[in-house]
Amino acid sequence: MTAIRVLVVEDEPLLAEAHSAYTERVPGFVVVGVAHTARAAMAALRANDGGDVDLVLLDFRLPDLHGLDVCRALRAAGSSVDVLAVTSARDLAVVRTAVSLGVTHYLLKPFTFAAFRDKLERYADYRAQALADGEVAAQHEVDQMFATLRGTAGHSLPKGLDAQTLDRVRAALTDGTRAEVGLSATEVSALSGISRVTARRYLEYLVTVDRAARSPRYGTPGRPEVEYRPR
């Protein structure tokens, strides 16, 4: 699968470096450029008509132009590049305008790597569906594409589960998994600071929504232990 090419737009060098590092940690994504101003971002996107960039991680509070104005300029120029807002702007009017300008996700600073990764993975799933050939067969396929972008909001989780704990479990599962070795509920519990029973509930939920895979772990005395790997 071709990697999704990302342009990071962030005026603070340390944050730009951190966002780039986060992006490179998510399989299927590659950073192709970093811009610290709106002007530099627009120049990078104009090069080759923006064909070298699939997704822009856009801070809204840039020194020379607001991120929303960057979005307006992109759309006015006929650019269809996707934009993921990575910003501390919490004004609802800004959020509404971002949606109207086609911003695919809106991630508030500060955030965890797990939350960042979830947005990129959702985008990758959406992009794979959007770029498929042919036509949708029915309404449910259109609904699925929009649902992919929306992700797992807290209100949509099963009763008794919350988004913050889910992020901690996903972070523990991803950061603690090495090569061919998965993690047991006990190990995820230790990494995330929650009980084994709670860890298992969240891990089983991730399995049901196809965000984790479950398999037996052999080589331990007695009944084989179950281990989990991120998808």
Side-chain angles (χ1 to χ4, degrees), residues 42-64:
M42 294 300 294
L45 290 167
R46 279 195 300 267
N48 196 30
D49 294 326
D52 293 332
V53 177
D54 302 309
L55 177 67
V56 180
L57 300 188
L58 180 63
D59 178 26
F60 276 2
R61 292 175 175 170
L62 299 170
D64 54 343

Side-chain angles (χ1 to χ4, degrees), residues 4-212:
I4 295 172
R5 300 159 299 181
V6 179
L7 174 65
V8 175
V9 184
E10 167 62 58
D11 65 317
E12 295 186 30
L14 287 179
L15 286 180
E17 184 178 343
H19 296 170
S20 298
Y22 271 10
T23 301
E24 295 281 0
R25 287 175 62 186
V26 181
F29 288 82
V30 60
V31 175
V32 295
V34 176
H36 300 299
T37 64
R39 183 176 181 178
M42 294 300 294
L45 290 167
R46 279 195 300 267
N48 196 30
D49 294 326
D52 293 332
V53 177
D54 302 309
L55 177 67
V56 180
L57 300 188
L58 180 63
D59 178 26
F60 276 2
R61 292 175 175 170
L62 299 170
D64 54 343
L65 198 65
H66 195 282
L68 288 178
D69 292 320
V70 175
C71 293
R72 290 188 183 98
L74 288 173
R75 301 312 177 218
S79 173
S80 60
V81 68
D82 290 320
V83 176
L84 192 163
V86 181
T87 180
S88 57
R90 297 170 180 267
D91 191 317
L92 282 175
V94 172
V95 176
R96 287 194 296 269
T97 304
V99 172
S100 71
L101 291 170
V103 171
T104 59
H105 284 99
Y106 198 103
L107 183 59
L108 284 173
K109 300 175 183 176
F111 49 81
T112 64
F113 172 65
F116 181 86
R117 181 187 57 231
D118 182 67
K119 291 290 186 289
L120 290 193
E121 289 176 346
R122 291 284 174 181
Y123 171 74
D125 290 345
Y126 161 79
R127 182 176 172 83
Q129 296 173 50
L131 294 181
D133 293 329
E135 299 180 352
V136 293
Q139 179 64 43
H140 76 273
E141 294 186 7
V142 177
D143 294 340
Q144 183 179 354
M145 289 182 66
F146 280 91
T148 298
L149 283 177
R150 285 195 297 269
T152 53
H155 67 269
S156 66
L157 292 173
K159 185 176 181 180
L161 303 188
D162 67 83
Q164 184 176 6
T165 305
L166 182 63
D167 278 349
R168 289 164 60 188
V169 171
R170 289 195 65 188
L173 184 62
T174 301
D175 297 342
T177 304
R178 295 292 181 268
E180 300 298 322
V181 181
L183 294 179
S184 67
T186 301
E187 291 162 338
V188 171
S189 166
L191 288 169
S192 57
I194 59 179
S195 72
R196 179 184 178 280
V197 172
T198 300
R200 185 177 179 84
R201 286 180 60 209
Y202 280 88
L203 288 166
E204 287 298 321
Y205 169 73
L206 290 173
V207 171
T208 64
V209 296
D210 202 31
R211 290 291 169 182

